[in-house]
Amino acid sequence: MTEGNFVDYIKLHLKSGNGGKGSAHLRREKYIPKGGPDGGDGGRGGHVIFKANKDLWTLFHLKFKRHIKATHGEHGSKQTSTGADGEDQYIEVPLGTVFRDTDTNEVIKEMTEHDEEYIVVEGGMGGKGNAHFKSSTNQTPRFAQPGIPGQEKDITLELKLLADVGLVGFPNAGKSTLLSVITAAKPKIANYEFTTLKPNLGIVQYRDYKTFVVADIPGIIEGAAEGKGLGYRFLRHIERNSTLLFLIPADAPSVKEQYEILLDELRRYNPELLDKSRVIAISKADLLDDELKTELAEEIEDAFDGIPHVFISSVAQQGLQPLKDLLWKTLNEDKHKVEN
């Protein structure tokens, strides 16, 4: 998935189909001069339905299709024939898609199960034909119901990626490089800030054919709350991650200070993010000799109050298996907490 193809926010205008009119037909056949009412019902208008698809990772397929309409129900006809229902319009969305009413900003639904369906706007009901209204006192009703008009609604879709681990760090901390070496993902890598402009996903192949998913979130900087850098645009994806992996480069002026800035920006965006499990990876560890590594490890022990950490180097392929082991252990501990 390339950056240009990743779309995680989109607005749609939806319209369901009108219900068909009921028929006011009177039966007229040879030798049956007074056949009475035989008008059929109109068909239901088509619904607009969201359907979750686990094979989709982006809303890109909706980028150039902002107006979606279902077809109208057909009118009833003679011999109590009911008109055909309008064709439903299905909109496939990735798992983790939240949709809200654009006018009120109210959350309507979140799609989390594969093949889950939800009717966003219902088609109008078809009108009843005159055959429904005959009685002993009104044997020849010459009227039928009109169909009910369809609904219109403006919907905003937001995609929150469903990943096990979310990478959190400053720009140029090595997140994309790490993702490229522990997964088959091919994110853009360059020696300048904000190389990653859209989230990237990768699947980590663990021991015994086990896997877990890692999301590389574009870098956070101090002041993101005020809109600096890329602001908070992509932090919604972290909300669905089970564990947060803080990536801090070994050559940072202060590992503790960088960690606290990142933590503060997450807190200002959504305090609930601080309840997630955390792991700290000190990247670019190949720049450290054993003495510096020992000193930094002692500093981390004092500063991070028992949060698990590991030294890694994506370029030198150092510490990657211990990192996978630590992430897998943390993910399974979280799973047991939820089950209990």
Side-chain angles (χ1 to χ4, degrees):
M1 181 175 63
T2 65
E3 285 188 358
N5 288 345
F6 184 83
V7 177
D8 63 349
Y9 182 90
I10 205 162
K11 292 183 178 180
L12 300 175
H13 180 78
L14 310 178
K15 188 178 188 309
S16 59
N18 299 333
K21 295 188 297 186
S23 171
H25 188 267
L26 297 174
R27 185 181 179 191
R28 289 289 182 268
E29 296 181 32
K30 192 175 182 180
Y31 309 121
I32 308 177
K34 297 181 179 179
D38 70 343
D41 300 342
R44 169 184 63 78
H47 300 318
V48 180
I49 303 172
F50 282 156
K51 183 175 182 179
N53 185 342
K54 64 181 177 60
D55 297 322
L56 292 176
W57 294 96
T58 174
L59 300 172
F60 178 77
H61 60 295
L62 300 173
K63 184 175 181 180
F64 305 105
K65 193 177 182 181
R66 300 299 180 91
H67 295 266
I68 297 175
K69 297 180 180 179
T71 59
H72 303 315
E74 294 186 5
H75 304 320
S77 59
K78 61 184 180 180
Q79 296 180 338
T80 61
S81 296
T82 300
D85 291 341
E87 184 178 351
D88 296 332
Q89 276 283 1
Y90 283 87
I91 306 173
E92 292 197 333
V93 295
L95 300 184
T97 300
V98 176
F99 52 94
R100 44 178 97 231
D101 188 308
T102 302
D103 298 326
T104 65
N105 208 36
E106 177 188 359
V107 174
I108 299 173
K109 176 72 174 173
E110 178 179 356
M111 310 297 282
T112 57
E113 301 287 337
H114 179 59
D115 281 341
E116 179 182 6
E117 295 183 6
Y118 185 83
I119 299 174
V120 195
V121 282
E122 294 186 353
M125 291 178 59
K128 291 183 177 180
N130 64 349
H132 283 278
F133 303 107
K134 63 183 178 183
S135 66
S136 58
T137 57
N138 187 8
Q139 296 183 358
T140 315
R142 300 177 185 275
F143 60 87
Q145 290 181 335
I148 295 177
Q151 304 174 12
E152 291 190 59
K153 187 173 287 188
D154 290 313
I155 294 291
T156 299
L157 302 185
E158 293 181 357
L159 172 60
K160 299 182 180 182
L161 294 177
L162 296 173
D164 299 302
V165 178
L167 286 174
V168 182
F170 278 75
N172 217 22
K175 300 188 300 299
S176 297
T177 305
L178 175 62
L179 189 74
S180 70
V181 297
I182 64 174
T183 75
K186 302 298 179 187
K188 184 179 180 181
I189 300 171
N191 190 27
Y192 56 83
E193 295 186 347
F194 300 115
T195 311
T196 302
L197 298 177
K198 300 288 177 68
N200 291 294
L201 282 181
I203 299 175
V204 177
Q205 301 290 336
Y206 190 59
R207 305 174 193 270
D208 301 323
Y209 304 103
K210 299 182 179 73
T211 61
F212 58 91
V213 180
V214 177
D216 169 22
I217 310 299
I220 305 170
I221 67 170
E222 187 174 9
E226 286 76 43
K228 292 183 180 179
L230 297 176
Y232 281 167
R233 181 177 171 191
F234 299 111
L235 286 186
R236 74 172 71 96
H237 300 296
I238 298 179
E239 294 178 349
R240 292 296 177 268
N241 301 155
S242 175
T243 297
L244 302 182
L245 173 59
F246 288 80
L247 203 64
I248 303 174
D251 58 355
S254 171
V255 171
K256 180 181 178 182
E257 183 179 338
Q258 282 212 3
Y259 173 71
E260 289 178 345
I261 291 173
L262 292 169
L263 212 57
D264 184 57
E265 293 297 335
L266 295 183
R267 182 187 297 110
R268 294 168 74 179
Y269 173 72
N270 183 354
E272 293 181 4
L273 293 178
L274 303 190
D275 296 332
K276 295 182 180 292
S277 299
R278 300 174 218 158
V279 173
I280 297 173
I282 306 300
S283 63
K284 306 179 183 179
D286 54 316
L287 301 176
L288 304 175
D289 57 27
D290 292 338
E291 184 178 347
L292 286 173
K293 193 177 291 187
T294 302
E295 290 179 6
L296 191 54
E298 292 173 356
E299 178 186 335
I300 290 172
E301 290 287 350
D302 295 336
F304 298 144
D305 193 27
I307 297 175
H309 66 275
V310 63
F311 288 88
I312 67 167
S313 171
S314 302
V315 174
Q317 303 276 307
Q318 296 175 4
L320 300 182
Q321 190 58 51
L323 174 62
K324 293 179 185 180
D325 292 338
L326 182 55
L327 291 173
W328 183 259
K329 178 183 175 183
T330 305
L331 289 169
N332 279 276
E333 286 175 353
D334 290 342
K335 184 179 179 181
H336 292 317
K337 287 179 184 176
V338 172
E339 290 176 349
N340 294 330

